[in-house]
Amino acid sequence: MDTKVSRGIALIYILDNFMPRRKERFSFLAKALKAAGGTAEAGSKLAGYKDFKDGKKTIEVTKKLTSAQRQRKKIALLPFNFTPPADLQPDNHYTTLITVYSNAGRTDLALTNGQLGYTATAAGNISENTFYPALLRVFVPTNAETPEITNPTSQITGNFLIQQSGI
């Protein structure tokens, strides 16, 4: 694998299918709000979450993708933890979707199709509703030697966060 990836320096790329990938972002607050009967003390984290759920607070999205970047293209890939035979056949690959943005990110890192197990789709590829590609989220710091750390505040809970600049 590419040394950039082995050091954990890579760009986010996501193989897009519509699999539920994680629990609700604020699941602990959702449970607490339910347990409190839908009420919260003013100025608390729970009140901030309630305002968010009621539409009084919103999250500002700063990294907005264009419609062209959100377009999906079909690819075929080898599943993880699969040792391919010496003579790869189309029926060794599963079809899935990847966004143009994600595909460009892995290209920017000089990751080849062979390194990631990608290939062009072909007749004979396996297409199953039960197959979900792995979700890979990787962070590339702007400057790994001297990271730029900021402490913004959560737009929902008011908690102080620790962020490192990067993509």
Side-chain angles (χ1 to χ4, degrees):
M1 175 125 327
D2 191 300
T3 57
K4 291 180 186 176
V5 174
S6 66
R7 282 190 227 132
I9 300 175
L11 186 65
I12 294 173
Y13 79 93
I14 300 170
L15 298 175
D16 294 300
N17 236 334
F18 299 104
M19 176 182 171
R21 304 236 185 240
R22 62 175 188 232
K23 62 183 179 178
E24 187 178 329
R25 183 174 178 183
F26 297 106
S27 61
F28 70 99
L29 288 171
K31 288 177 186 174
L33 187 61
K34 185 175 181 179
T39 61
E41 183 181 329
S44 68
K45 295 176 192 177
L46 198 54
Y49 175 72
K50 183 177 183 327
D51 288 347
F52 171 66
K53 292 299 278 183
D54 292 342
K56 297 175 186 171
K57 282 188 174 183
T58 59
I59 296 174
E60 181 183 344
V61 178
T62 56
K63 295 180 183 178
K64 296 182 182 177
L65 300 181
T66 66
S67 61
Q69 290 172 316
R70 287 190 303 265
Q71 294 297 314
R72 291 179 167 90
K73 63 185 243 172
K74 193 178 237 184
I75 61 166
L77 57 88
L78 293 170
F80 288 107
N81 203 21
F82 172 74
T83 304
D87 61 333
L88 273 177
Q89 300 297 318
D91 64 353
N92 296 127
H93 294 80
Y94 285 77
T95 58
T96 190
L97 301 172
I98 186 171
T99 62
V100 170
Y101 175 80
S102 298
N103 194 47
R106 65 127 189 146
T107 304
D108 289 346
L109 290 168
L111 295 173
T112 66
N113 286 348
Q115 288 172 309
L116 298 172
Y118 292 5
T119 187
T121 56
N125 289 147
I126 301 168
S127 183
E128 291 183 3
N129 291 338
T130 57
F131 172 72
Y132 295 102
L135 173 64
L136 177 62
R137 293 185 180 185
V138 188
F139 179 78
V140 181
T142 304
N143 187 345
E145 286 77 33
T146 56
E148 299 171 27
I149 306 293
T150 58
N151 296 97
T153 304
S154 168
Q155 296 172 341
I156 304 303
T157 64
N159 285 353
F160 288 104
L161 307 173
I162 298 173
Q163 283 184 343
Q164 181 177 350
S165 62
I167 51 173

